[in-house]
Amino acid sequence: MAGKDTLTPEDWIKAAFRLLTSAGPKAIRVDYLCRELGVTKGSFYWHFTDLAALRAAMVEHWRHMATRDVITSMTSADLSPRELFIRLFETVLAMPERDYGGPMTEAAIRHWAAGDDAVEKVVRDADAERLAFLTLQMRGAGLAGPEARSRASLLLATLIGLEQLAGEPALPRLDISGFVDAMLTPAPSAE
């Protein structure tokens, strides 16, 4: 049995993500978490003042890992726009680790956000941050104005959709290179 001194706040966050992805937001309860980790409630309260504090830490942790860390890892002068977008798809589709609930984490967070205003705000802010980054990258690839934002929106929607479909073995694997090439090809001008 793990003791309160051997667990970290991140251990509790990981356990909460596993419960979220397997049973939904109502499963994020102190008694379920303690059972999952094999500890007493005292251990939980050693790390968090209450369940609301854990939930807030979860969504901020998700935003940091699934948005800020990904954006930071993509920021490299050595990558062409095409290489950046291919790496982005590979990175996003390889996340998150099973410790954090596995491939359904993004879907579970979005499901949770549908019924919780605080979570919904964090998801909305993360999406705005993601969209701004993708739009900037599209502009760096030579697309301008509304076309850059529209293609960035399509990329974001595709990434989110692919994450949600990650557990569907019957679906064919996306040709990432071909998709990125199509997204980076400017639309023909209407002359």
Side-chain angles (χ1 to χ4, degrees):
M1 191 174 213
K4 67 183 178 188
D5 296 331
T6 61
L7 290 176
T8 67
E10 188 171 359
D11 292 325
W12 288 96
I13 290 169
K14 287 177 181 180
F17 273 113
R18 290 191 301 271
L19 287 173
L20 174 67
T21 58
S22 67
K26 290 184 179 176
I28 305 169
R29 295 178 23 176
V30 175
D31 55 334
Y32 293 172
L33 288 163
C34 291
R35 191 174 317 128
E36 167 88 10
L37 293 170
V39 297
T40 66
K41 289 182 181 182
S43 178
F44 174 82
Y45 292 108
W46 178 264
H47 296 287
F48 295 96
T49 56
D50 57 20
L51 199 52
L54 169 67
R55 289 177 173 168
M58 281 178 70
V59 293
E60 278 307 315
H61 192 81
W62 165 81
R63 182 177 180 188
H64 189 78
M65 286 184 55
T67 301
R68 293 181 181 140
D69 286 354
V70 172
I71 289 172
T72 299
S73 73
M74 296 298 123
T75 308
S76 170
D78 297 338
L79 293 176
S80 70
R82 182 179 189 274
E83 293 168 330
L84 181 139
F85 286 120
I86 290 171
R87 180 189 279 181
L88 177 66
F89 269 85
E90 291 169 348
T91 299
V92 169
L93 295 178
M95 296 177 52
E97 299 172 13
R98 192 147 308 283
D99 284 356
Y100 285 99
M104 294 308 295
T105 303
E106 183 83 18
I109 287 281
R110 290 178 181 283
H111 172 73
W112 184 13
D116 186 306
D117 291 341
V119 177
E120 194 266 336
K121 181 183 180 334
V122 173
V123 170
R124 189 177 49 239
D125 291 347
D127 283 345
E129 192 173 347
R130 293 167 173 182
L131 185 57
F133 172 75
L134 292 171
T135 301
L136 182 65
Q137 300 311 310
M138 283 293 178
R139 288 186 179 130
L143 298 168
E147 185 176 16
R149 181 149 175 105
S150 177
R151 302 256 181 128
S153 296
L154 183 56
L155 272 173
L156 180 59
T158 301
L159 283 165
I160 292 168
L162 287 171
E163 283 180 292
Q164 293 189 27
L165 296 172
E168 298 293 330
L171 294 175
R173 182 161 163 77
L174 173 70
D175 172 14
I176 294 171
S177 302
F179 181 76
V180 168
D181 290 341
M183 288 295 93
L184 294 175
T185 302
S189 60
E191 290 183 42

